[in-house]
Amino acid sequence: MLSTEDNIFVIIITREFIIGMLGNVYIGLVNWIDWIKKKKISSIDYILTSLAISRICLLCVLILNGIIMVCYPDFYENDKLQAVINIFWTLTNYLSTWFATCLNVFYLLKIANFSHLLFLWLKRIDRVIHWILLGCLAISSLISLILATTPNYDYEFHKIINHKRNCTEMFHVSKSQYFNPLTLFNLLAIVPCTVPLISFFLLIMSLWRHIKQVKLSVAGCGDPSTEAHVRAMKTMTSFLFLLFVYYGASLLATFNYLMKESKLAVMLGEIIAILYPSGHSLILIIRNYKLRQTYIRMLSYETTVCMM
């Protein structure tokens, strides 16, 4: 019998999961149908489709972990099964982060204006985009493989602290030898997180230089280049905010054994974590012209059918 907190938790993550799945499946289907019609796909659509697929997988892992935690808590007594979920989470998490990083870098290269030779060389990303995405897949798979071969001491640590009578005694248990490898892989995700941050600041520099060139004229402030910079900055800002909130929630769940109410901490972390792949996908639909217009046409068609 589930408690009130468990029921509320399951309802919240299920709704988040449905919204996230609908958004990511929509992105994938629209780009896939457009690819079939035109017999080709643009770089931005290629990245968005790959990102949507990775987030569909990530959402499945997150919802599975959440349901198991409240409905089948004994599942985690098997450290091997827990390790399997950790490996799949690491793979889908890194894929999603790297693909989102590629998307932000793509925005920077297509919108910003710099005369540096390295930047001009990178602007030819269209020619190698599929190799870049395959490289992201290879890196994520390698990290997951390393995790698969790394001993998981988290289970042994929990067995020890469960015998302690209170929270104070927990802090006297040496955690260095029971360090959860998943914590290290969480921290390693800072690397792909810094790339969008650098891209964001470079985009700000490009916008500042562009506005300076037009001398803040009325026509200049409303020109297409300035508007493109602003739109990209808004998209990057929302992504960075959700990304750092997501990793904060993941770290909260990872270090839950340091808290007295560890289950509530994990629940909170899980709820916040699912917001990232769900919320950012909806923002991408709103910010992308083709995705937005396709949705508007779908609504118009449904309205017409209902009126007939």
Side-chain angles (χ1 to χ4, degrees), residues 24 29 44 55 66 75 78 91 101 104 109 112 118 144 147 170 177 190 212 226 242 246 274:
N24 285 289
L29 280 177
I44 183 69
R55 283 180 170 170
F75 175 89
N78 189 323
L91 175 62
T101 298
N104 283 276
L109 296 177
L118 177 60
S144 301
L147 179 61
M170 248 173 50
Q177 58 180 322
I190 295 175
K212 187 177 180 181
T226 302
L242 289 172
Y246 169 71
I274 300 181

Side-chain angles (χ1 to χ4, degrees), residues 43 105-113 119 123 125-126:
S43 297
V105 173
F106 183 86
Y107 286 146
L108 171 69
L109 296 177
K110 290 300 179 183
I111 296 174
N113 294 309
F119 185 83
K123 286 180 75 72
I125 190 175
D126 287 353

Side-chain angles (χ1 to χ4, degrees), residues 84-182:
V84 170
I85 289 184
N86 289 341
I87 290 167
F88 276 105
W89 178 84
T90 302
L91 175 62
T92 56
N93 175 60
Y94 269 84
L95 272 178
S96 174
T97 304
W98 277 114
F99 288 162
T101 298
C102 291
L103 182 64
N104 283 276
V105 173
F106 183 86
Y107 286 146
L108 171 69
L109 296 177
K110 290 300 179 183
I111 296 174
N113 294 309
F114 293 103
S115 57
H116 196 279
L117 291 177
L118 177 60
F119 185 83
L120 296 175
W121 180 77
L122 289 174
K123 286 180 75 72
R124 298 180 296 177
I125 190 175
D126 287 353
R127 305 177 185 179
V128 294
I129 188 64
H130 59 287
W131 290 111
I132 294 176
L133 296 182
L134 284 174
C136 294
L137 176 61
I139 293 173
S140 303
S141 300
L142 178 62
I143 294 174
S144 301
L145 182 62
I146 295 173
L147 179 61
T149 58
T150 303
N152 185 9
Y153 300 110
D154 186 56
Y155 176 62
E156 285 78 3
F157 176 77
H158 278 280
K159 285 196 299 185
I160 289 180
I161 64 173
N162 284 337
H163 293 289
K164 297 298 177 181
R165 285 174 293 180
N166 54 50
C167 187
T168 304
E169 291 185 32
M170 248 173 50
F171 287 92
H172 294 291
V173 178
S174 176
K175 302 175 186 65
S176 59
Q177 58 180 322
Y178 302 109
F179 183 76
N180 186 358
L182 188 61

